[in-house]
Amino acid sequence: MTGTLAPPEVPAHRGRRWLPVLLRQAPFRRYWSAQTVSLFGDQISMLALPLLAVLGTGAGPAEMGYLTAAAVIPNLLFSLVVGAWMDRYPHKRRMMVLADLGRALLLAAVPLAYLFDVLTLGQLYVVAFLTGTLAVLFEVAHSTLFVSLVPRKDYVDANALINGSRAMSYVAGPSVGGFLVQVLTAPVALVADAVSYLVSAAFLARIRPTEPAPADGAGLGIGQGLRFVFRSTILRSVLLGTTTLNLFNYMFTALFVLYVTTELRISPGLLGLVIGVGSVGALLGAALTGRLVRRYGIGPTVMLSFVLFPAPLVLVPLADGPTPLIVGALLVSEFLSGFGVMVMDIAVGSLQTAVIPEILLARVTGAKRTVNYGIRPVGALLGGALGAWIGVRPTLWIATVGALAGLLWVLPSPIPKLHDLPEPDEVPAPQR
């Protein structure tokens, strides 16, 4: 099934000619607005929920680790099953609305429990786990709604708009979240994220897309997504490349703050500035990726991203000397890496969406999430273990140089020669 499910072109409203073409179309504009509001709300929760655990329940380092794990473990537990089930379920948009409403209710319950002095750390674990589970449901269904609203020729531009919102939320979200926590306290700040999910659900409820027909056949076909990924040369190369990159990048992530604050003696304020500059780089990457793809092609842009994302991070273990020189190296590193990761998210995301047949989108998305997200805690644990064994700086050298190995999976594939987005791979005949 390769026919497009995108709606017919919607005439541009005279008052919206300044908007990008996709945002002049009401269905995509509502979809993009839902994503944007939700992304900003997520940035508030990323700050408010851990603060509430520390200040409201007295959580220590171990408990904070459990809270983080509770939020991400659903990716490992449920992505494959959810992907298989969502391809059988005919109403993906409806499920996204229900996931938003569920997350709103869960987050709203936290300040209520705090208000009545019955909030416990166990409740926060449950909220983190259940919101993480609903996030898996939302993200897996999201891939099919995307192809229902966006013509193939606009995949890169649409991904650029969505990732532009993500980059902007990285820039402004923590500041807004910090202000709300400071002024309203962490429990009340969570209400803002709950409201963001309600707004997202309201936007999604106003979309009436022609969704892909549900898959048929016996059983859920849980393994079909993984089999399709490894049967497709493009998908296999990209998944192995990004998984390798993620393994080493999460080794880096686990030690970055520790190294910068203790060994490089950078203050928390300067660290915040460094991270903020990285977010600006991501915003610029979202704005320019479409131009890179149109000029050089989707394949060369993907190849560039496999270098531009990890290579600048080498400046972190390389940084030495006076504080201004160290800060300058960190700023350049974060800016260029932020630019590169956004180019990768947009280009690789568009390429993968183009190659996957619509009828398999949820299953393949679930399979990819299981592998890609599954390697992240492994990388973090490996980084911590190596840091304790051979030292933090040598481990950062291994992590930053090793991340470049992701490119080796993509080089021998057809990707470097691709100029335009390819047609979907064929759906294999079901196994008897």
Side-chain angles (χ1 to χ4, degrees):
M1 178 176 176
T2 58
T4 180
L5 292 174
E9 291 288 333
V10 180
H13 191 281
R14 289 181 180 179
R16 297 193 177 110
R17 291 188 184 277
W18 57 274
L19 287 173
V21 174
L22 282 169
L23 292 182
R24 299 175 200 170
Q25 302 170 15
F28 181 81
R29 187 169 64 251
R30 291 165 184 161
Y31 162 79
W32 174 81
S33 298
Q35 294 283 303
T36 301
V37 170
S38 183
L39 286 167
F40 272 87
D42 288 344
Q43 291 296 317
I44 297 172
S45 282
M46 285 178 63
L47 182 63
L49 200 61
L51 280 174
L52 185 57
V54 173
L55 301 177
T57 68
E63 289 81 9
M64 295 303 291
Y66 300 149
L67 184 64
T68 302
V72 299
I73 200 67
N75 290 288
L76 291 173
L77 297 179
F78 305 129
S79 290
L80 274 176
V81 175
V82 168
W85 176 64
M86 285 305 301
D87 270 335
R88 308 276 188 207
Y89 186 72
H91 306 294
K92 281 79 170 177
R93 179 197 58 86
R94 183 184 301 171
M95 194 54 59
M96 292 172 69
V97 172
L98 291 175
D100 270 342
L101 294 176
R103 288 185 286 184
L105 288 173
L106 286 167
L107 289 175
V110 174
L112 283 176
Y114 183 83
L115 179 65
F116 289 101
D117 199 24
V118 294
L119 181 67
T120 65
L121 194 56
Q123 181 186 350
L124 293 183
Y125 292 156
V126 171
V127 168
F129 179 81
L130 292 179
T131 54
T133 301
L134 291 173
V136 171
L137 191 65
F138 185 96
E139 290 298 327
V140 171
H142 156 272
S143 61
T144 55
L145 182 62
F146 179 90
V147 300
S148 300
L149 295 172
V150 181
R152 173 178 296 271
K153 64 182 178 62
D154 293 328
Y155 280 179
V156 172
D157 289 339
N159 273 312
L161 286 168
I162 294 166
N163 282 282
S165 294
R166 178 175 286 108
M168 183 60 76
S169 74
Y170 293 160
V171 175
S175 299
V176 174
F179 175 78
L180 289 175
V181 170
Q182 182 72 31
V183 174
L184 302 177
T185 71
V188 181
L190 284 174
V191 176
D193 194 14
V195 171
S196 78
Y197 285 125
L198 294 177
V199 174
S200 173
F203 277 121
L204 292 172
R206 297 180 63 198
I207 301 173
R208 294 293 183 269
T210 304
E211 299 189 44
D216 53 14
L220 286 177
I222 290 176
Q224 193 171 3
L226 276 174
R227 286 196 298 271
F228 184 84
V229 168
F230 285 97
R231 192 178 286 118
S232 165
T233 306
I234 290 176
L235 288 179
R236 182 177 67 247
S237 301
V238 168
L239 181 60
L240 291 172
T242 53
T243 301
T244 300
L245 195 158
N246 274 331
L247 171 68
F248 288 101
N249 185 248
Y250 271 75
M251 290 173 57
F252 175 90
T253 301
L255 301 175
F256 173 71
V257 172
L258 175 67
Y259 178 72
V260 168
T261 55
T262 59
E263 298 200 28
L264 296 184
R265 301 190 183 281
I266 299 299
S267 68
L270 272 178
L271 178 60
L273 174 63
V274 166
I275 295 173
V277 167
S279 301
V280 173
L283 190 60
L284 186 62
L288 296 182
T289 301
R291 297 182 185 181
L292 289 173
V293 171
R294 284 187 288 273
R295 180 163 183 175
Y296 300 107
I298 186 69
T301 304
V302 168
M303 303 301 292
L304 173 67
S305 72
F306 270 92
V307 176
L308 192 54
F309 169 25
L313 297 178
V314 173
L315 291 173
V316 174
L318 190 63
D320 200 2
T323 298
L325 189 61
I326 291 175
V327 172
L330 295 178
L331 289 173
V332 171
S333 170
E334 287 295 306
F335 180 86
L336 292 179
S337 183
F339 183 94
V341 73
M342 199 54 61
V343 174
M344 173 172 281
D345 284 349
I346 295 168
V348 170
S350 300
L351 178 62
Q352 292 182 119
T353 303
V355 171
I356 304 169
E358 292 160 355
I359 201 165
L360 289 177
L361 264 170
R363 272 168 287 182
V364 174
T365 301
K368 292 194 293 94
R369 285 177 67 89
T370 300
V371 177
N372 244 333
Y373 281 76
I375 203 65
R376 295 177 179 186
V378 175
L381 291 172
L382 183 58
L386 278 177
W389 181 35
I390 64 174
V392 174
R393 191 169 191 171
T395 303
L396 288 177
W397 274 114
I398 294 172
T400 51
V401 175
L404 290 166
L407 181 66
L408 301 179
W409 294 105
V410 188
L411 272 175
S413 75
I415 294 173
K417 298 179 181 178
L418 288 175
H419 187 273
D420 300 317
L421 290 174
E423 291 297 314
D425 287 340
E426 290 186 6
V427 180
Q431 296 183 344
R432 299 292 183 183

